[in-house]
Amino acid sequence: MTASSDTNALAIAIVGVGKIARDQHIPALARDPRFQLAATASRSGGVQGVETFETLGALLAARPDIPAVSLCMPPVPRFAAAREAIAAGRHVMLEKPPGASLAEVFRLEALARQAGVTLFASWHSRAAAGVAPAREWLAGRRPKRIRIDWKEDVRKWHPGQAWIWEPGGLGVFDPGINALSILTEICPVPLHLTASTLTFPENRATPIAADLTFTDGDGLDATAGFDWRQEGGDIWQMEIDTDAGQLRLLDGGARLFIDGQETTLDDTGEYPTLYRQFGQLIAEGRSDVDAAPLIHVADAFMLGRHLRGDPFHD
Amino acid sequence: MTASSDTNALAIAIVGVGKIARDQHIPALARDPRFQLAATASRSGGVQGVETFETLGALLAARPDIPAVSLCMPPVPRFAAAREAIAAGRHVMLEKPPGASLAEVFRLEALARQAGVTLFASWHSRAAAGVAPAREWLAGRRPKRIRIDWKEDVRKWHPGQAWIWEPGGLGVFDPGINALSILTEICPVPLHLTASTLTFPENRATPIAADLTFTDGDGLDATAGFDWRQEGGDIWQMEIDTDAGQLRLLDGGARLFIDGQETTLDDTGEYPTLYRQFGQLIAEGRSDVDAAPLIHVADAFMLGRHLRGDPFHD
């Protein structure tokens, strides 16, 4: 992996070189002429050919020439890192969820505004190929029934990741918030949660399954089922019946069906799209911080009935 | 109890004539020349000498001359009532918490803005006599340590109120959010939650006790202990050590001590103050909807470690 040598490219650093950085961020940056991966901060190894620092603080001090950082760490340590980078005058891109708490997300938004830097709280599923066309199709239609199923095998997607089971790790809402990020992006009417049932493995602090009910206050029937105990194939789908036809998103938003007919989509990939958006936001001097998906998650915890389930062992 | 006959008074209706309406709202309105209690909507009896309707819908239809309503019902049914009143062009005052979910609070705020009416999401503890002076004293000082203890006997304060134990009823956060409403009002630096332990009686859906830790991101040590199992006297106190002296609020904010010396306070009462504020907001065409205390509560549920405690029986 070598960084782009385009001299007009914006130097960017990645903080936290774990699974998501290696699977998504680094390949996306390698193919993007707008950015040049100029450094990393990581305790678990860096990227070949790219300067690596032990800490974000060391990176910020040594490389004032790098104007942007992308934070690829779990939610709990993210606030301190984002705050440090913003205080050093850098533009910041965050993985979802944008924080371990809502209060810290609103605080980061205010800090970025005061510092005059771009903060991009990214929701990668919103960059799935079907999402923008779905939003366009739904605009002007009236949803009557929404059914979301987001079911995957946690052992396959989060092998040995202890932080997902600790407070702030969100449990099954780590994938479920992807569905909520799509829903809040495409649904033409605002929804709020009315009921939630969360199942916690008796040896874990976060839920392994969640059943949610939303309303628009006008009789719209919206439900979501998130489950990490799925075996035999992931299900990431959303079905919306409207007053003028039915929309279905499959494969996490990558495939779109209108009235049963699959739509041809232009797929540039989620993370390449996110970095294009980050570049645009920096160029326009704007931020994009939408806490709506995390608000629904916090509401689901606050309004939830909590059930104890079987213990979970990796 | 008779309503004021001041012809310049603003007609107001109370929706939900329960304990809090009889204890606080109705006496406060009776003494306030700015308002005239013109009607109530209640299924459990009204107020002598005041027209009573079975439902808010019937009240709004029959009395277009009443420009303001005060909602004194539990949080879960509040959204639908507030929305109905706002849609009918009425100014609305809400008891705390302003909703069962955050999403519905943000939605109500938007609806009021669109309708051009005043929405006042009241936090009665912010109107306690010591709060405004505490805020003034803290401005410009730097808090170093904050300790909140909010402990009361649930059997004394919520006898037989089943809704507090149901999802959305918030459990011990029903009083605890009063402490958080004071904290967010007076603390000169923004805080966010970093840890939370919630104890749920094994037969109830909401917590009976909570221990919270907050930070400002700069080493401020802030903790709060909420407990509904208190016997032998309520404790509602907050102690803030700063770089220039110590502040203590006792009795839910009614008494203020600076460096151990009690301050003389001008006490007009919480609810009379709230109605004065509601009248001012209406006169100025403004709303006041601060979700910050409820954001901390939602964060405490989302970030919480959930413990099972002994069953609770009324």
Side-chain angles (χ1 to χ4, degrees):
Chain A
M1 180 90 34
T2 56
S4 160
S5 59
D6 185 333
T7 50
N8 291 320
L10 195 76
I12 188 168
I14 280 183
V15 183
V17 183
K19 179 169 165 51
I20 192 70
R22 295 193 187 280
D23 288 354
Q24 300 290 350
H25 291 262
I26 293 165
L29 284 170
R31 282 182 271 128
D32 191 332
R34 280 169 292 238
F35 288 98
Q36 183 200 2
L37 180 58
T40 66
S42 175
R43 287 200 178 80
S44 54
V47 176
Q48 212 184 348
V50 175
E51 188 176 18
T52 295
F53 295 87
E54 278 273 307
T55 65
L56 172 61
L59 186 155
L60 295 170
R63 297 294 304 268
D65 60 306
I66 299 177
V69 302
S70 181
L71 304 182
C72 306
M73 66 241 293
V76 169
R78 204 173 286 153
F79 174 80
R83 185 165 181 242
E84 191 176 5
I86 290 168
R90 316 301 166 96
H91 306 297
V92 174
M93 175 165 147
L94 302 175
E95 261 286 350
K96 64 88 198 179
S101 69
L102 283 166
E104 67 186 51
V105 177
F106 293 126
R107 179 129 186 245
L108 285 180
E109 187 178 21
L111 289 170
R113 198 182 317 119
Q114 289 157 20
V117 300
T118 289
L119 176 61
F120 180 29
S122 74
W123 299 101
H124 68 79
S125 290
R126 287 184 176 173
V131 171
R135 180 184 184 163
E136 207 171 309
W137 186 84
L138 281 166
R141 285 183 167 82
R142 182 164 164 67
K144 300 170 81 166
R145 182 185 159 280
I146 299 175
R147 173 68 212 174
I148 297 170
D149 289 288
W150 224 258
K151 298 177 179 180
E152 63 179 42
D153 181 352
V154 64
R155 291 188 173 84
K156 174 178 166 191
W157 291 102
H158 295 280
Q161 289 184 355
W163 63 266
I164 56 172
W165 296 111
E166 289 300 304
L170 296 187
V172 76
F173 286 101
D174 180 77
I177 204 170
N178 296 336
L180 298 176
S181 74
I182 293 175
L183 179 67
T184 49
E185 178 77 2
I186 69 177
C187 187
V189 294
L191 302 177
H192 61 273
L193 190 102
T194 54
S196 147
T197 302
L198 311 182
T199 302
F200 290 72
E202 63 176 35
N203 61 335
R204 303 288 183 168
T206 59
I208 197 166
D211 284 291
L212 313 180
T213 305
F214 296 89
T215 184
D216 65 344
D218 281 319
L220 170 60
D221 166 31
T223 56
F226 303 154
D227 206 320
W228 250 350
R229 297 165 300 192
Q230 178 75 7
E231 290 176 13
D234 309 307
I235 297 173
W236 298 312
Q237 64 180 34
M238 190 175 301
E239 192 174 285
I240 303 185
D241 297 326
T242 77
D243 57 353
Q246 187 204 56
L247 176 146
R248 289 180 74 207
L249 283 168
L250 300 189
D251 297 357
R255 299 175 69 194
L256 173 65
F257 292 74
I258 301 294
D259 294 327
Q261 290 290 316
E262 184 155 15
T263 302
T264 306
L265 299 172
D266 175 24
D267 189 5
T268 52
E270 293 181 3
Y271 285 79
T273 300
L274 294 185
Y275 278 101
R276 178 173 54 72
Q277 292 172 346
F278 188 36
Q280 282 175 344
L281 288 168
I282 293 171
E284 296 167 10
R286 293 192 300 119
S287 285
D288 179 349
V289 183
D290 179 10
L294 192 59
I295 286 170
H296 287 315
V297 172
D299 282 343
F301 276 90
M302 182 165 64
L303 265 170
R305 271 187 202 281
H306 297 199
L307 307 180
R308 285 215 168 182
D310 293 337
F312 176 84
H313 302 289
D314 262 314
Chain B
M1 177 94 30
T2 54
S4 159
S5 58
D6 185 332
T7 51
N8 291 320
L10 196 75
I12 188 168
I14 280 183
V15 183
V17 183
K19 179 169 164 52
I20 192 69
R22 295 193 188 280
D23 288 354
Q24 300 290 350
H25 291 262
I26 293 165
L29 285 170
R31 282 182 272 128
D32 191 331
R34 280 169 293 240
F35 289 98
Q36 183 202 2
L37 180 58
T40 66
S42 175
R43 287 199 177 82
S44 54
V47 176
Q48 210 182 352
V50 176
E51 188 176 17
T52 294
F53 296 86
E54 278 273 308
T55 65
L56 173 59
L59 185 155
L60 294 171
R63 298 294 304 269
D65 60 306
I66 300 178
V69 302
S70 181
L71 304 182
C72 306
M73 66 241 292
V76 169
R78 204 174 285 153
F79 173 80
R83 186 166 180 241
E84 190 177 6
I86 289 169
R90 316 302 166 96
H91 306 297
V92 173
M93 175 165 148
L94 302 175
E95 260 288 349
K96 63 89 198 177
S101 69
L102 284 165
E104 67 186 50
V105 176
F106 293 125
R107 181 133 186 241
L108 285 181
E109 187 178 21
L111 289 171
R113 199 182 317 118
Q114 289 157 20
V117 300
T118 289
L119 176 62
F120 180 29
S122 74
W123 298 100
H124 68 78
S125 288
R126 287 184 175 173
V131 172
R135 180 184 184 163
E136 205 171 312
W137 186 85
L138 282 166
R141 284 182 168 83
R142 180 163 167 67
K144 301 170 79 166
R145 183 186 159 279
I146 299 175
R147 174 68 212 174
I148 297 170
D149 289 286
W150 224 258
K151 299 177 179 182
E152 62 179 44
D153 182 352
V154 63
R155 290 187 173 85
K156 173 178 166 191
W157 291 101
H158 294 279
Q161 290 184 355
W163 64 266
I164 57 172
W165 296 111
E166 288 299 304
L170 297 186
V172 76
F173 286 100
D174 180 77
I177 204 169
N178 295 334
L180 298 176
S181 75
I182 294 175
L183 179 67
T184 49
E185 177 78 1
I186 68 177
C187 186
V189 293
L191 303 177
H192 61 272
L193 189 102
T194 55
S196 148
T197 301
L198 310 182
T199 301
F200 290 72
E202 61 176 37
N203 61 336
R204 302 289 184 168
T206 58
I208 198 166
D211 283 293
L212 313 180
T213 305
F214 296 88
T215 185
D216 65 343
D218 281 319
L220 170 60
D221 165 31
T223 55
F226 302 154
D227 205 320
W228 251 350
R229 297 165 300 192
Q230 177 77 6
E231 290 176 12
D234 309 307
I235 298 174
W236 298 310
Q237 64 179 34
M238 190 175 303
E239 191 173 287
I240 304 185
D241 296 328
T242 77
D243 57 352
Q246 187 204 57
L247 175 147
R248 288 181 75 207
L249 282 168
L250 299 189
D251 297 356
R255 299 176 68 193
L256 173 65
F257 293 74
I258 301 294
D259 295 327
Q261 291 290 317
E262 184 156 15
T263 302
T264 306
L265 299 173
D266 174 25
D267 190 4
T268 53
E270 295 181 2
Y271 285 80
T273 300
L274 294 185
Y275 278 101
R276 178 175 54 71
Q277 293 172 346
F278 187 35
Q280 282 175 344
L281 289 168
I282 294 171
E284 295 167 10
R286 293 191 301 119
S287 284
D288 179 351
V289 182
D290 179 9
L294 192 58
I295 285 171
H296 287 315
V297 172
D299 282 343
F301 276 89
M302 183 165 64
L303 265 170
R305 270 186 203 282
H306 297 199
L307 307 179
R308 285 214 167 182
D310 292 336
F312 176 84
H313 301 287
D314 262 314

